[in-house]
Amino acid sequence: MSKQPSSKRQWRDGVSSTAKKPSKPAKSFANKKRPDDERKTSGKPYGQKVSDGPKAQNTAPKQRAAKAKKLVVRNPNQKIMEHARDLKERRSDLSRFEPERLQKVLAASGVGSRREMEEWISNGWVTVNGRVAQLGEKVTPDDHVTVKGSIIKLKWADRLPQAASSRWVAIGRLDINTSGLLILTTSGELVQRFAHPSFEVEREYAVRVLGELTTEQMCVLTEEGVMLEDGLAKVERIYEQGGEGANKWYNVVIKEGRNREVRRIFESQGLTVSRLVRVGFGPIGLPNRLKRGQFYELNPAEVANIIKWADMLLPGERRRKKS
């Protein structure tokens, strides 16, 4: 019968009191053993007792569980691929962008301010397709522009994929002090479905305030609501998200899009909003990988899901008659 460990450390390490203690290694970082090394040398999983009896020799070591494998994402099916090709063919190429003034495009590309670009063009430091540019000249995405001998990759203010016969429309809006999710579409019907108050589409915000709401105040916001200058405002859901010091974060969901509504709701409770980020609008959430100033074009499958959520028809689709 094996002896029980004489200390908690021996019991934790799975070493009996009669086991011979290993000699102390040299004082070197590379020689220090970790629990993984002990498992390899002892042949036993970490934390399992080592028995002194003969049964220990005949017992095979337990096999370690295999590591989880990365999820394999399958390619879209043939129908989705054909739909994606169809949408790609409908889009216009870069040559259909309207020409823009050179100084405006250079400023949008981050070369410098618009006034500075005007001075550089006047000084002859900018060329377009190998010739010296003139002030007020317009360029297209197909033009090759150099500034002081360096090739400039032009960035257009409207870099969104442009449809052949439509324009982008923003769903809702964000004021100058609010950041986060902004959805653009070419469908006026989809804008109506998202933004009209009668549909009560949820808007989700991450709110940082100076101070803290009490439990009673949160109950009032969700159950009774508060009266603002333009009518009653009610919060659908609200919960804490932590914070540091005097600043607290809250997750707030409302079903309206009135001007500065979230800020005014917190002001009614004596709190000032120091940061406001829209993180969700209806079925669309703000991707974590999407940084400020970037955009992400939804793939055909995602577009189809949103169209289905809005109870709309896809291009070329007919509504089935109810039997």
Side-chain angles (χ1 to χ4, degrees):
M1 182 176 179
S2 59
K3 296 182 179 181
Q4 295 295 328
S6 59
S7 65
K8 291 183 178 180
R9 183 173 182 179
Q10 291 178 346
W11 180 85
R12 183 196 62 192
D13 295 339
V15 180
S16 66
S17 58
T18 59
K20 185 179 179 180
K21 295 183 179 180
S23 58
K24 294 183 178 180
K27 292 184 177 180
S28 172
F29 178 80
N31 291 334
K32 291 183 178 179
K33 289 187 177 182
R34 297 175 297 178
D36 292 338
D37 302 324
E38 294 178 2
R39 289 198 296 268
K40 294 178 181 178
T41 56
S42 64
K44 293 287 184 178
Y46 178 64
Q48 183 174 348
K49 295 182 181 180
V50 178
S51 175
D52 296 333
K55 294 183 179 180
Q57 299 177 358
N58 300 329
T59 304
K62 292 184 179 179
Q63 294 182 354
R64 299 179 61 185
K67 293 183 178 179
K69 296 182 179 180
K70 184 178 180 180
L71 178 65
V72 178
V73 181
R74 295 181 297 178
N75 293 329
N77 58 34
Q78 188 68 20
K79 185 177 180 181
I80 294 179
M81 296 294 291
E82 292 177 357
H83 186 53
R85 285 194 294 268
D86 181 58
L87 290 178
K88 187 175 182 180
E89 292 175 357
R90 295 182 187 181
R91 302 193 193 282
S92 62
D93 53 20
L94 292 176
S95 63
R96 298 193 180 186
F97 276 95
E98 293 293 331
E100 294 281 358
R101 291 193 303 275
L102 179 58
Q103 60 268 30
K104 179 180 178 180
V105 176
L106 289 175
S109 302
V111 182
S113 65
R114 188 177 301 187
R115 180 170 297 181
E116 188 178 16
M117 293 301 98
E118 292 176 353
E119 295 178 359
W120 289 13
I121 294 172
S122 301
N123 294 336
W125 297 344
V126 181
T127 64
V128 178
N129 299 327
R131 57 177 177 77
V132 178
Q134 302 296 322
L135 187 63
E137 182 177 351
K138 293 187 177 182
V139 293
T140 66
D142 295 327
D143 292 323
H144 298 277
V145 179
T146 62
V147 176
K148 296 183 178 181
S150 300
I151 300 176
I152 303 300
K153 185 178 180 180
L154 300 179
K155 297 179 181 179
W156 297 77
D158 184 7
R159 292 296 296 175
L160 296 171
Q162 185 178 11
S165 60
S166 57
R167 63 187 181 90
W168 292 105
V169 181
I171 300 179
R173 57 188 176 185
L174 297 174
D175 61 50
I176 193 172
N177 296 319
T178 305
S179 60
L181 178 64
L182 185 62
I183 306 172
L184 296 102
T185 180
T186 57
S187 172
E189 184 180 357
L190 190 62
V191 174
Q192 178 79 359
R193 180 64 179 81
F194 266 90
H196 199 277
S198 62
F199 293 105
E200 296 185 342
V201 179
E202 293 185 348
R203 290 107 163 135
E204 183 178 359
Y205 295 88
V207 188
R208 187 182 68 182
V209 299
L210 182 61
E212 185 175 2
L213 285 173
T214 64
T215 305
E216 292 76 13
Q217 286 177 316
M218 288 192 285
C219 290
V220 169
L221 294 179
T222 56
E223 296 176 3
E224 302 176 9
V226 292
M227 185 61 66
L228 304 178
E229 296 87 350
D230 51 357
L232 184 67
K234 188 177 179 181
V235 173
E236 188 67 19
R237 295 186 300 275
I238 182 172
Y239 56 87
E240 298 180 5
Q241 281 193 313
E244 296 180 357
N247 293 309
K248 300 296 180 182
W249 281 93
Y250 293 91
N251 182 278
V252 178
V253 176
I254 59 176
K255 289 186 175 180
E256 293 180 303
R258 285 185 276 174
N259 185 33
R260 300 181 69 253
E261 184 173 1
V262 176
R263 295 180 183 274
R264 290 188 292 150
I265 288 175
F266 278 88
E267 289 173 358
S268 68
Q269 305 301 309
L271 299 175
T272 301
V273 175
S274 57
R275 189 175 180 187
L276 184 60
V277 183
R278 185 159 66 190
V279 296
F281 198 155
I284 302 177
L286 180 63
N288 293 330
R289 65 183 182 276
L290 197 64
K291 306 302 179 182
R292 180 178 296 182
Q294 297 179 340
F295 72 88
Y296 166 72
E297 182 183 4
L298 302 183
N299 60 47
E302 293 169 328
V303 173
N305 289 334
I306 294 175
I307 296 298
K308 183 178 180 181
W309 166 86
D311 194 24
M312 296 169 51
L313 298 178
L314 292 170
E317 185 181 14
R318 294 182 179 180
R319 191 177 296 277
R320 296 179 180 179
K321 295 182 179 180
K322 295 182 180 181
S323 56

